[in-house]
Amino acid sequence: MDISRQQRAPICEALETFKKKRVVPFDVPGHKRGRGNPELVRLLGAQCVSLDVNSMKPLDNLSNPVSVISEAEDLMAEAFGAAHAFLMVGGTTASVQAMVLSVCKAGDKIILPRNVHKSVINALILCGAIPVYVKPEIHPVIGVALGMEIDAVKETIDSNPDAVAVLVNNPTYYGICSDLKSITDYAHEKGLKVLVDEAHGTQLYFGSNLPMAGMRAGADMAAISMHKSGGSLTQSSILLTGKNMNVGHVRQIIGLTQTTSANYLLLSSLDLSRRNLALRGMESFAKVITMAEYARNEINSIGGYYAYGKELIDGKNVYDFDVTKLCVYTKDIGLTGIEIYDLLRDEYDIQIEFGDIGNIMAYISIGDRLQDIERLVGALEDIKRLYAREKSGLAFVDAVIPKVVSSPQYSFYAEKESVPIKEAYGRVAGESVMAYPPGIPILAPGELITKDIVDHILYAKEKGCSLQGTADPEVKSLEVLIK
């Protein structure tokens, strides 16, 4: 990586030049640098609103970049060790969907773990590809799905010689990593493309002693949420490609779903965040690792909680672990993760990333401070003292492994009927149900609805999880295929 080149921020430089020219706007957006919406200026500030501009020649165009955005993409690719990088303004949802749509068409098989983000399932609905799931092991204590064990992946590839791609989470929401290099090498040997969902993996490219990143493993594409741990604005993301991908084709695929009115606040935040990581990323993520490990040790010393880490590594189902992930198992104090999530926010003014049935996750990134870690630890200790109860049998959303009956696309568009959720046993789902975050579907279109799945949904609903994906916002009924 050329550090002298990485000091550039071409999009930001172009915006600064543009602002100095005092151009009279007879284009969109209609607020005209904020003059038409003073309330917006008061909320966001004049500097921010003045840079909310439309694509024009001096600022390039994300749909077909030829100048400053193209330069920013080249710098991003260099910083992440990719052959090419696309700046994305539709979140990593758009990046993940672009990956799948770039390599899959109707009827193609794609091999993947079941604990994928909903964006993957939605991509299958769009393109008509067929999921072939590698059944993961479930951790006997924390109850979450583990990684893709290499022998299981090889067996699935060999059993599906017509598959076109493998998709891997690297890491999962819970910090668990598969043997990405071995999976990639075997998939390539068999002629499959390798797609990596690295929504939670920006740090892998800049931190030391962290799991292997997708581009270093030789993956063909990787989707990265720069806004999650890389410091850019919410909804900004990048899509990386390896040397064997057709860049022109991928850009055409992105153009199918991405806006033609790219937000320059998002683009400039990607530009500046890339520069920051290239120049200071190793130092920044070293601090993140130190804070996360400190928090892990302090939380475990409370008793009753289990903040898990590298001890999970077994070389197979947990090939590696991302120690920047601060996930805490809560069952032993008799509280679900979502209950602790709510208590932290409502009683202690602490907003963590998510709480599911058995775990909470506090996202530690380059913007955190040690005093905030101390406050979190103190709050968890207080919650145990005030709210702990006898533990009972708690279900785990991430552990559901449904049976696929028909393709997600067919099932989503098929003729359906709405039935009460407790009368849906034995039917085929025509919609998704997921707790968000983390956004891993409990049920996806085309999957057989069982009592275990319904029990998971009802339990998650009872405990206060935010359920999404259903036509019925109260999730009292499910859309199922007509027999």
Side-chain angles (χ1 to χ4, degrees), residues 72-98:
E73 289 183 341
D74 288 344
L75 289 167
M76 189 74 75
E78 180 186 60
F80 280 82
H84 190 80
F86 296 90
L87 306 187
M88 305 291 289
V89 295
T92 306
T93 289
S95 299
V96 168
Q97 291 177 348

Side-chain angles (χ1 to χ4, degrees), residues 348-383:
Y348 298 89
D349 293 330
I350 295 174
Q351 181 63 58
I352 59 173
E353 175 67 10
F354 80 82
D356 63 16
I357 300 301
N359 301 269
I360 59 171
M361 178 189 181
Y363 217 103
I364 312 297
S365 72
I366 59 177
D368 282 299
R369 304 172 302 173
L370 190 58
Q371 56 261 48
D372 296 327
I373 300 290
E374 298 280 11
R375 184 172 168 185
L376 172 64
V377 172
L380 289 175
E381 187 170 18
D382 208 40
I383 286 172

Side-chain angles (χ1 to χ4, degrees), residues 109-113 132 134 148 153 156-157 160 163 165-167 192:
K109 289 181 181 177
I110 179 171
I111 295 168
L112 65 166
V132 179
V134 177
M148 297 170 75
V153 175
T156 306
I157 291 175
N160 295 273
V166 177
L167 186 144
L192 283 72

Side-chain angles (χ1 to χ4, degrees), residues 188-199:
H188 283 168
E189 180 184 325
K190 297 296 183 177
L192 283 72
K193 296 293 187 186
V194 177
L195 315 178
V196 186
D197 183 347
E198 289 185 315

